């Protein structure tokens, strides 16, 4: 109602500047809420169309140089297209510059597995290999190395889907612990 009054005042050639400046934060908050609502609704639609996506692996924890077989299954009504599975290693480092603390993340390794398109209704097998000499999973106060098996694809060919499942890669080879 107030926005409409401000618009009418501008059209009459008598803008009410105080009213327009006063309304700016409320209009911006309203726009942000609309965008958040649309994004949430889109995520809900993707979840409903995709259904549950599960990933199973034949052994856990992983070791560097190891080859692992897995199975991915989707239970939803719309099959994923442009689908893929990958084993992804992410390194994170937190540092302080003055009073600001920042965390940098870097994808250190990525091993892709091929899957048929669209993803069949039956569970589909895949194979992943942890690179030999790869860093094991690690968590410290300011540094970490994490590994995930990620599944991604497109619902109805356009809506993006992605999900990650954290796995552990233990120290390999000559580790004496």
């Amino acid at each position: 109602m107030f926005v409409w009054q401000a618009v009418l005042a501008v059209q009459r050639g008598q803008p009410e500047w105080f009213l327009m400046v006063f309304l700016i934060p409320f209009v911006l908050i309203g726009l942000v809420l609309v965008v958040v609502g649309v994004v949430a609704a889109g995520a809900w639609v993707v979840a409903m169309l995709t259904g549950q996506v599960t990933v199973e692996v034949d052994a856990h924890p992983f070791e560097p140089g190891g080859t692992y077989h897995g199975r991915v299954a989707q239970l939803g009504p719309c099959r994923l297209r442009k689908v893929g599975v990958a084993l992804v290693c992410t390194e994170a480092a937190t540092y302080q510059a003055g009073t600001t603390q920042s965390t940098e993340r870097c994808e250190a390794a990525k091993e892709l597995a091929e899957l048929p398109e669209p993803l069949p209704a039956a569970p589909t097998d895949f194979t992943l290999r942890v690179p030999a000499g790869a860093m094991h999973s690690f968590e410290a106060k300011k540094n970490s190395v994490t590994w995930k098996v990620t599944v991604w694809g497109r619902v109805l060919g356009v809506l993006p889907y992605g999900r990650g499942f954290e796995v552990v890669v233990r120290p390999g080879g000559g580790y004496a612990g």
Side-chain angles (χ1 to χ4, degrees), residues 91-152:
E91 295 178 1
T94 302
Y95 61 92
Q96 187 116 12
T99 59
T100 305
Q101 184 170 312
S102 300
T103 301
E104 295 287 330
R105 286 183 175 73
C106 174
E107 189 176 283
K110 188 172 193 174
E111 174 75 22
L112 298 172
E114 295 190 23
L115 294 175
E117 185 182 316
L119 194 61
T124 305
D125 295 329
F126 63 88
T127 302
L128 292 172
R129 187 176 177 289
V130 180
M135 180 63 177
H136 57 81
S137 299
F138 172 78
E139 184 82 33
K141 186 175 181 181
K142 296 198 178 240
N143 298 309
S144 68
V145 175
T146 57
W147 290 83
K148 284 186 179 183
V149 175
T150 60
V151 181
W152 70 89

